[in-house]
Amino acid sequence: MVVIIAGLLVYSLYDKDFLLMLLLAFFCVIVYVRKRKSPDATIYFLGFGISAIGGFFAEHWGIASGLWKYHNLTGGRTFPYWLPFAWGLAFYVLYEFEAQYIRILKLKTIQSKMALTLYASALLPTVGEIIAVNTGVWTYYGPYKILGIPIAMIGLLVLFHTSVFLLLCFVNSYWKMGNTVFLLEKK
């Protein structure tokens, strides 16, 4: 539901790029206030930052390579102001989704958590992208599309988010942080 609301929010305000950035930044502040005193704050904010910065570079690469184009940007820009905030908030949505399902399903093994991460990374970001692409926020160029999203882009989203997951598993293990989302046990 959050992904659908986010997709519709981006659609509603994408031509007001700066306002959308401020609104997403406001949501980031709300998330910060909510998370800052939780036991998982450090690893959570690390994931948020990695996603925002990594997303920034991924977007620049995709735009410069001609793989996609954002519409209705002012001043000849090709990069929307709001993108890094959207990438950070995407981590938030995935983290909360995975934390909830790990708790509900009592997942503990690396295999089960990896399966959940792959599923969530393929499904949730793609739903938001389908909404945004089909409402004219941006256009993908390339073959073999599903509802406007090239299959290769879905693969890259899964690769990006799964890489963040694996990096945070390593950080969680190395620094013995005990975060249940990134705590991996063998069978």
Side-chain angles (χ1 to χ4, degrees):
M1 186 63 149
V2 170
V3 174
I4 293 170
I5 293 169
L8 292 173
L9 178 66
V10 168
Y11 161 68
S12 299
L13 295 175
Y14 80 94
D15 58 340
K16 296 166 187 68
D17 190 37
F18 191 74
L19 177 61
L20 181 56
M21 180 202 66
L22 292 176
L23 188 58
L24 292 180
F26 176 72
F27 285 132
C28 290
V29 169
I30 290 172
V31 169
Y32 171 77
V33 168
R34 186 171 159 248
K35 285 281 194 188
R36 70 181 170 183
K37 293 184 180 177
S38 71
D40 61 344
T42 301
I43 199 158
Y44 169 79
F45 289 119
L46 182 60
F48 189 99
I50 290 168
S51 295
I53 293 166
F56 174 84
F57 287 111
E59 292 286 347
H60 270 290
W61 169 78
I63 293 166
S65 300
L67 298 173
W68 59 85
K69 178 185 176 185
Y70 287 88
H71 304 295
N72 296 334
L73 298 175
T74 59
R77 288 179 302 111
T78 58
F79 189 91
Y81 296 129
W82 51 267
L83 277 177
F85 297 102
W87 277 91
L89 289 169
F91 174 80
Y92 168 73
V93 169
L94 286 168
Y95 180 87
E96 294 297 323
F97 178 88
E98 290 176 15
Q100 183 175 6
Y101 278 91
I102 286 168
R103 199 170 32 258
I104 291 169
L105 300 173
K106 297 177 176 49
L107 302 178
K108 297 209 183 287
T109 66
I110 189 170
Q111 295 88 347
S112 60
K113 288 182 179 181
M114 182 58 71
L116 178 63
T117 295
L118 290 169
Y119 171 76
S121 297
L123 178 68
L124 297 177
T126 303
V127 169
E129 297 235 342
I130 288 169
I131 293 167
V133 165
N134 286 287
T135 55
V137 178
W138 70 84
T139 302
Y140 278 114
Y141 303 103
Y144 312 114
K145 294 180 184 179
I146 298 173
L147 299 173
I149 314 299
I151 294 170
M153 291 305 121
I154 297 170
L156 288 173
L157 284 168
V158 170
L159 178 64
F160 180 89
H161 292 295
T162 303
S163 297
V164 171
F165 174 83
L166 290 172
L167 176 62
L168 293 175
C169 287
F170 172 76
V171 167
N172 191 51
S173 175
Y174 186 79
W175 282 319
K176 297 175 182 31
M177 299 174 100
N179 180 282
T180 56
V181 173
F182 303 113
L183 182 64
L184 301 179
E185 297 176 11
K186 296 179 181 174
K187 275 189 171 179

